[in-house]
């Protein structure tokens, strides 16, 4: 079965107040449980703010290391889920569930290679 990366984009800045965030977390927990019950869950990870990123670039034999995200933007990847799904349409269904629950954009991309390798 193909694996897909669901990248959840969030705006830069402070988290919403608890009265906004708590129902979102509840809805995300429900989608996560549904995903696990369906046997489609592979891995989930949350990320701290983009300001904690460090970029490493190869310049010939040397490495250039800079603080901050690769690109400046108004939103960043705040978390991700790796799922297994029979096809893109099925992966998009899961992506839609996460988008509705999080109220944030979710990018769905297939992972390259055979997950059994």
């Amino acid at each position: 079965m193909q694996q897909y990366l669901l990248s959840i984009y969030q705006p830069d800045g402070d988290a919403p107040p608890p009265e906004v965030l708590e129902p979102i977390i509840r809805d995300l927990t429900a989608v996560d449980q549904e995903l696990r019950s369906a046997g489609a869950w592979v891995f989930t990870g949350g990320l701290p703010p983009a300001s904690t990123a460090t970029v490493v670039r190869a310049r010939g034999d040397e490495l250039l290391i800079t603080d901050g995200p690769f690109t400046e933007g108004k939103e960043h990847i705040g978390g991700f889920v790796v799922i297994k799904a029979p096809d893109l349409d099925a992966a998009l269904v899961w992506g839609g569930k996460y988008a509705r629950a999080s109220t944030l954009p979710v990018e769905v991309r297939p992972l390259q290679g055979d997950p059994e390798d």
Side-chain angles (χ1 to χ4, degrees), residues 20-59:
V20 173
L21 193 56
E22 287 170 6
I24 291 170
I25 291 173
R26 182 191 63 237
D27 292 347
L28 283 170
T29 300
V31 173
D32 187 59
Q33 288 302 317
E34 182 183 357
L35 183 68
R36 289 170 188 259
S37 295
W41 180 86
V42 175
F43 180 77
T44 303
L47 299 171
S51 61
T52 65
T54 303
V55 178
V56 180
R57 289 181 178 87
R59 297 280 195 243

Coordinates of all heavy atoms in Angstrom, one line a residue, residues 20-59:
V20 N -10.6 28.5 21.5 CA -10.5 28.1 20.1 C -9.8 26.8 19.8 O -10.2 26.0 19.1 CB -9.9 29.3 19.3 CG1 -9.7 28.9 17.8 CG2 -10.7 30.6 19.4
L21 N -8.7 26.7 20.6 CA -7.8 25.5 20.4 C -8.3 24.2 20.9 O -8.2 23.2 20.3 CB -6.4 25.8 21.0 CG -5.3 24.9 20.6 CD1 -5.1 24.9 19.1 CD2 -4.0 25.3 21.3
E22 N -9.0 24.2 22.0 CA -9.5 23.0 22.6 C -10.4 22.2 21.7 O -10.3 21.0 21.6 CB -10.1 23.3 24.0 CG -9.1 23.6 25.0 CD -9.6 24.1 26.3 OE1 -10.9 24.1 26.5 OE2 -8.8 24.5 27.2
P23 N -11.4 22.8 21.1 CA -12.3 22.0 20.2 C -11.5 21.5 18.9 O -11.8 20.4 18.5 CB -13.4 22.9 19.7 CG -13.2 24.2 20.4 CD -11.9 24.2 21.2
I24 N -10.5 22.2 18.5 CA -9.7 21.7 17.4 C -8.9 20.5 17.8 O -8.8 19.5 17.0 CB -8.8 22.9 16.9 CG1 -9.6 24.0 16.2 CG2 -7.7 22.3 15.9 CD1 -8.8 25.2 15.9
I25 N -8.3 20.6 19.0 CA -7.5 19.4 19.4 C -8.4 18.2 19.6 O -8.1 17.1 19.3 CB -6.8 19.8 20.7 CG1 -5.6 20.8 20.4 CG2 -6.2 18.5 21.4 CD1 -4.9 21.3 21.6
R26 N -9.6 18.4 20.1 CA -10.6 17.3 20.3 C -10.9 16.7 18.9 O -10.9 15.5 18.8 CB -11.9 17.9 21.0 CG -12.9 16.8 21.2 CD -14.3 17.3 21.6 NE -14.8 18.2 20.6 CZ -15.1 19.4 20.7 NH1 -15.0 20.1 21.8 NH2 -15.6 20.1 19.6
D27 N -11.2 17.5 17.9 CA -11.5 17.0 16.6 C -10.3 16.3 16.0 O -10.5 15.3 15.3 CB -12.0 18.2 15.7 CG -13.3 18.7 16.1 OD1 -14.0 18.1 17.0 OD2 -13.7 19.8 15.6
L28 N -9.1 16.8 16.1 CA -7.9 16.2 15.6 C -7.7 14.8 16.3 O -7.3 13.9 15.6 CB -6.7 17.1 15.8 CG -6.6 18.2 14.8 CD1 -5.5 19.2 15.2 CD2 -6.4 17.7 13.4
T29 N -7.9 14.8 17.6 CA -7.8 13.5 18.3 C -8.8 12.5 17.8 O -8.4 11.3 17.6 CB -8.0 13.7 19.8 OG1 -7.0 14.6 20.3 CG2 -7.9 12.4 20.6
A30 N -10.0 12.9 17.4 CA -11.0 12.0 16.9 C -10.5 11.4 15.5 O -10.7 10.2 15.2 CB -12.3 12.6 16.8
V31 N -10.0 12.3 14.7 CA -9.6 11.9 13.3 C -8.4 10.9 13.5 O -8.3 9.9 12.8 CB -9.2 13.1 12.5 CG1 -8.5 12.6 11.2 CG2 -10.4 13.9 12.2
D32 N -7.5 11.3 14.4 CA -6.3 10.4 14.6 C -6.8 9.0 15.1 O -6.2 8.0 14.6 CB -5.4 11.0 15.7 CG -4.1 10.3 15.9 OD1 -3.4 10.2 14.9 OD2 -3.8 9.8 17.0
Q33 N -7.7 8.9 16.0 CA -8.2 7.6 16.4 C -8.9 6.9 15.3 O -8.7 5.6 15.2 CB -9.2 7.8 17.6 CG -8.5 8.2 18.9 CD -7.5 7.2 19.3 OE1 -7.7 6.0 19.3 NE2 -6.3 7.7 19.8
E34 N -9.6 7.6 14.4 CA -10.3 6.9 13.3 C -9.2 6.4 12.3 O -9.3 5.3 11.8 CB -11.2 8.0 12.6 CG -11.9 7.4 11.4 CD -12.7 8.5 10.7 OE1 -12.8 9.6 11.1 OE2 -13.3 8.1 9.6
L35 N -8.2 7.2 12.1 CA -7.1 6.7 11.2 C -6.4 5.5 11.8 O -6.2 4.5 11.0 CB -6.1 7.9 11.1 CG -4.9 7.7 10.2 CD1 -5.3 7.6 8.7 CD2 -3.9 8.8 10.4
R36 N -6.1 5.5 13.1 CA -5.5 4.3 13.7 C -6.4 3.1 13.6 O -6.0 2.0 13.3 CB -5.1 4.6 15.1 CG -4.0 5.6 15.2 CD -3.8 6.0 16.7 NE -2.8 7.1 16.8 CZ -1.5 6.9 17.2 NH1 -1.1 5.8 17.5 NH2 -0.7 8.0 17.2
S37 N -7.7 3.3 13.9 CA -8.7 2.2 13.9 C -8.8 1.6 12.5 O -9.0 0.4 12.3 CB -10.1 2.6 14.3 OG -10.0 3.0 15.7
A38 N -8.6 2.4 11.4 CA -8.7 1.9 10.1 C -7.4 1.2 9.6 O -7.4 0.7 8.5 CB -9.0 3.1 9.1
G39 N -6.4 1.3 10.5 CA -5.1 0.6 10.1 C -4.3 1.4 9.1 O -3.4 0.9 8.4
A40 N -4.6 2.7 8.9 CA -4.0 3.6 7.9 C -2.9 4.4 8.5 O -2.1 5.1 7.8 CB -5.0 4.4 7.2
W41 N -2.8 4.5 9.9 CA -1.8 5.3 10.5 C -0.4 4.7 10.4 O -0.2 3.5 10.6 CB -2.2 5.5 12.0 CG -1.2 6.3 12.8 CD1 -1.3 7.7 12.9 CD2 -0.1 5.9 13.6 NE1 -0.2 8.1 13.7 CE2 0.5 7.1 14.2 CE3 0.4 4.7 13.9 CZ2 1.6 7.0 15.0 CZ3 1.5 4.6 14.7 CH2 2.1 5.8 15.3
V42 N 0.6 5.5 10.1 CA 2.0 5.0 10.1 C 2.8 5.8 11.2 O 3.5 5.2 12.0 CB 2.7 5.2 8.7 CG1 4.2 4.8 8.8 CG2 1.9 4.3 7.7
F43 N 2.7 7.2 11.1 CA 3.6 8.0 12.0 C 3.0 9.4 12.0 O 2.5 9.9 11.0 CB 5.0 8.0 11.4 CG 6.0 8.8 12.2 CD1 6.5 8.4 13.4 CD2 6.4 10.1 11.8 CE1 7.4 9.1 14.1 CE2 7.3 10.9 12.5 CZ 7.8 10.4 13.7
T44 N 3.1 10.1 13.1 CA 2.6 11.4 13.3 C 3.7 12.2 14.0 O 4.4 11.7 14.9 CB 1.3 11.5 14.2 OG1 0.3 10.7 13.6 CG2 0.8 12.9 14.3
G45 N 3.9 13.5 13.7 CA 4.8 14.3 14.4 C 4.4 15.8 14.4 O 3.9 16.3 13.3
G46 N 4.5 16.5 15.5 CA 4.3 17.9 15.6 C 5.6 18.6 15.5 O 6.7 18.1 15.9
L47 N 5.6 19.8 15.0 CA 6.9 20.6 14.9 C 6.7 21.9 15.7 O 5.7 22.5 15.7 CB 7.1 20.9 13.5 CG 7.3 19.7 12.5 CD1 7.4 20.1 11.1 CD2 8.6 19.0 12.9
P48 N 7.8 22.3 16.3 CA 7.8 23.7 17.0 C 7.8 24.8 15.9 O 7.9 24.5 14.7 CB 9.1 23.6 17.8 CG 10.0 22.7 17.1 CD 9.1 21.6 16.5
P49 N 7.8 26.0 16.3 CA 7.8 27.1 15.3 C 8.9 27.0 14.3 O 10.0 26.5 14.6 CB 7.9 28.4 16.2 CG 7.4 28.0 17.5 CD 7.8 26.5 17.7
A50 N 8.7 27.6 13.1 CA 9.7 27.6 12.1 C 11.0 28.3 12.5 O 12.1 28.0 12.0 CB 9.1 28.2 10.8
S51 N 10.9 29.2 13.5 CA 12.1 29.9 13.9 C 13.1 29.0 14.6 O 14.2 29.4 14.7 CB 11.6 31.0 14.9 OG 11.0 30.4 16.0
T52 N 12.7 27.8 14.9 CA 13.6 26.8 15.5 C 14.4 26.0 14.5 O 15.3 25.3 14.9 CB 12.9 25.8 16.5 OG1 12.0 25.0 15.7 CG2 12.1 26.6 17.6
A53 N 14.1 26.2 13.2 CA 14.7 25.5 12.2 C 16.2 25.9 11.9 O 16.5 27.1 12.2 CB 14.0 25.7 10.8
T54 N 17.0 25.0 11.4 CA 18.3 25.3 11.0 C 18.5 24.7 9.6 O 18.1 23.6 9.4 CB 19.4 24.7 12.0 OG1 19.1 25.2 13.3 CG2 20.8 25.1 11.6
V55 N 19.0 25.5 8.7 CA 19.2 25.0 7.3 C 20.7 24.7 7.1 O 21.5 25.6 7.4 CB 18.7 26.1 6.3 CG1 18.9 25.6 4.9 CG2 17.2 26.4 6.6
V56 N 20.9 23.6 6.5 CA 22.3 23.2 6.1 C 22.4 23.1 4.6 O 21.6 22.4 3.9 CB 22.6 21.8 6.7 CG1 24.1 21.4 6.4 CG2 22.4 21.8 8.2
R57 N 23.3 23.9 4.0 CA 23.5 23.9 2.6 C 25.0 23.4 2.3 O 25.9 23.9 3.0 CB 23.3 25.3 2.0 CG 21.9 25.8 2.0 CD 21.9 27.2 1.4 NE 20.5 27.7 1.3 CZ 19.9 28.3 2.3 NH1 20.5 28.6 3.4 NH2 18.7 28.8 2.1
A58 N 25.1 22.6 1.3 CA 26.5 22.2 0.8 C 27.0 23.2 -0.2 O 26.3 23.5 -1.2 CB 26.4 20.8 0.2
R59 N 28.2 23.7 0.0 CA 28.8 24.6 -0.9 C 30.2 24.0 -1.2 O 31.2 24.3 -0.4 CB 29.0 26.0 -0.3 CG 27.7 26.7 0.0 CD 27.1 27.3 -1.3 NE 26.1 28.3 -1.0 CZ 24.8 28.1 -1.3 NH1 24.4 27.1 -2.0 NH2 23.9 29.0 -1.0

